[in-house]
Amino acid sequence: MLPNAEGVFETHQSVHPVSVIMYKHDLVYLTEDASHDAAIEHINEEAFGPGRFTRAAARIREQGPHDLSLSFICADDGETIASVRMTPVLAGAVKGHLLGPLAVRPSHKNMGIGRELVRIAVEAARRKGSEAVILVGDPPYYGPLGFEKVAYNALTFPGPVDPGRVLVVPIAEGAHERLKGVIAWRP
């Protein structure tokens, strides 16, 4: 291709404009407050359905409130699109926190939002003096986020749990060894 008389390169092929849809996300991570309750309930319903209330971890959460200072949401352009909650628990002899539920709206999945919420929540628990962050979840997802398997059947939940899905980020020295016994809400 050679420049024309004005020095501009021209093509003699027809060029069709391509529409490109670009999504701009204005993500903000905030500490949860009461104004987020309805949106969080909707997100959890969307993610887990009615069966979410029958899970063993839900039985623990029913025993007392979650810790608002360690629970977080992600908002996109002002709309709450994800959340994670932390519930104070005594797990054997460990004063820790139960992470969950963690949920992200389908429109925002696979963007790293859930991983960032977990990172924020675990770091906040560490700063607050929690000895461990425990959850029931998928090892392939949570393993890269620092979670390790708890010893098989070491913790007794108020309902059936797959022992291979009980995971922990041990924060305090000797936390793994002290994770033996009942797990329940603590004031």
Side-chain angles (χ1 to χ4, degrees):
M1 181 169 24
L2 297 172
N4 65 13
E6 290 82 35
V8 176
F9 289 90
E10 293 180 336
T11 179
H12 296 287
Q13 300 172 339
S14 63
V15 177
H16 298 283
V18 177
S19 295
V20 176
I21 298 173
M22 296 188 57
Y23 296 98
K24 180 184 177 296
H25 294 285
D26 187 16
L27 301 177
V28 178
Y29 295 86
L30 303 167
T31 305
E32 177 187 333
D33 66 39
S35 72
H36 301 120
D37 284 347
I40 291 170
E41 180 58 29
H42 176 72
I43 292 165
N44 288 328
E45 180 181 9
E46 192 174 48
F48 303 112
R52 70 191 179 280
F53 299 115
T54 64
R55 298 178 179 187
R59 302 277 77 84
I60 294 169
R61 292 183 197 109
E62 290 173 347
Q63 297 169 9
H66 61 284
D67 185 336
L68 280 173
S69 72
L70 299 180
S71 300
F72 300 91
I73 64 102
C74 178
D76 184 2
D77 197 27
E79 176 191 0
T80 302
I81 52 90
S83 78
V84 65
R85 286 182 165 166
M86 296 277 270
T87 302
V89 294
L90 183 61
V94 174
K95 290 182 180 177
H97 287 85
L98 181 67
L99 186 143
L102 167 68
V104 179
R105 299 281 322 265
S107 59
H108 288 74
K109 286 194 178 288
N110 301 314
M111 295 174 57
I113 295 167
R115 289 184 296 279
E116 182 64 8
L117 282 169
V118 169
R119 187 196 67 72
I120 291 167
V122 168
E123 186 52 38
R126 184 183 317 274
R127 284 192 311 272
K128 193 167 181 173
S130 183
E131 295 184 304
V133 175
I134 302 153
L135 62 79
V136 179
D138 296 323
Y141 180 84
Y142 290 101
L145 302 176
F147 285 83
E148 307 165 358
K149 286 188 179 182
V150 171
Y152 195 81
N153 280 335
L155 292 175
T156 303
F157 282 76
V161 169
D162 177 350
R165 292 171 43 88
V166 180
L167 308 173
V168 63
V169 171
I171 297 171
E173 187 74 31
H176 262 294
E177 294 75 26
R178 295 182 294 121
L179 284 172
K180 291 186 173 88
V182 174
I183 180 170
W185 181 82
R186 69 175 166 86

